[in-house]
Amino acid sequence: MSKHDLKNKTVVITGGAKNLGGLISRKFAEQGANLVIHFNSDSAQADAETTLKAVQALGAKAIIFQADLSDIRKIEELFVKAKETFGGVDIAINTVGRVLKKPFLDTTETEFDSMSDINSKIAYFFIQSAGKHLNNNGKICTIVTSLLAAYTGLYSTYGGLKAPVEH
């Protein structure tokens, strides 16, 4: 793709403030896209603001959006905010995920529930909301690690709870 292939296209990126999500935000900014950069908590706000400044320096129109997406109403609000700001959503990318490296026998119910919210519930309802809100010919992408292909005893909650992404 050449620069500006995505000019005036809007991309929503969950977890778009840092790490892989931050890199994806910057790459789409280089292509001329408008960005809605989601981040989860106050602890990620500085990263979100740094990424926002970086993509704006690349010429992108962008906003940041803070929310705990395990409350599925917040996923809906994310897409509504993108529509209100940029007139629609063309690409929806979910990078939200968490790995719990722990033996199966030692996993607590609280840890399982948290992993389920982050890796399964958010993925499922993100795909659902994207399906409702994407412009015609829109694209949905959910990113996972290669751990889904590696069967190890220490990643059961991650691999087992990413089913909505695989299906």
Side-chain angles (χ1 to χ4, degrees):
M1 285 186 199
S2 65
K3 189 170 183 177
H4 305 296
D5 282 349
L6 297 173
K7 185 123 179 97
N8 298 320
K9 300 290 183 183
T10 298
V11 182
V12 170
I13 306 168
T14 62
K18 60 184 181 176
N19 302 324
L20 180 59
L23 176 64
I24 292 169
S25 294
R26 286 168 174 81
K27 290 298 180 185
F28 275 96
E30 289 172 0
Q31 296 296 313
N34 302 321
L35 301 170
V36 178
I37 301 165
H38 160 264
F39 65 104
N40 182 61
S41 62
D42 290 340
S43 64
Q45 184 161 353
D47 291 315
E49 290 171 359
T50 297
T51 299
L52 178 64
K53 288 176 187 168
V55 300
Q56 289 173 332
L58 292 167
K61 295 177 188 170
I63 62 168
I64 55 176
F65 182 90
Q66 180 181 5
D68 175 353
L69 299 181
S70 64
D71 176 349
I72 64 170
R73 294 172 298 185
K74 300 296 183 185
I75 298 171
E76 190 71 11
E77 288 176 21
L78 173 66
F79 283 96
V80 169
K81 183 67 173 177
K83 278 186 164 181
E84 289 173 355
T85 304
F86 297 114
V89 177
D90 300 289
I91 301 171
I93 301 173
N94 177 29
T95 72
V96 173
R98 179 181 294 159
V99 172
L100 174 66
K101 186 176 180 182
K102 194 169 189 180
F104 186 86
L105 296 175
D106 296 335
T107 304
T108 68
E109 181 179 8
T110 300
E111 290 168 330
F112 181 91
D113 289 346
S114 175
M115 293 295 289
S116 177
D117 281 351
I118 294 164
N119 293 316
S120 190
K121 181 180 177 181
I122 291 172
Y124 187 90
F125 287 101
F126 178 83
I127 293 166
Q128 183 185 74
S129 285
K132 291 179 197 175
H133 292 284
L134 284 177
N135 292 334
N136 289 339
N137 300 311
K139 308 289 184 228
I140 302 170
C141 177
T142 299
I143 299 187
V144 299
T145 73
S146 59
L147 289 172
L148 288 183
Y151 299 100
T152 70
L154 299 179
Y155 297 97
S156 61
T157 54
Y158 182 81
L161 292 168
K162 279 294 190 179
V165 178
E166 290 187 295
H167 293 281

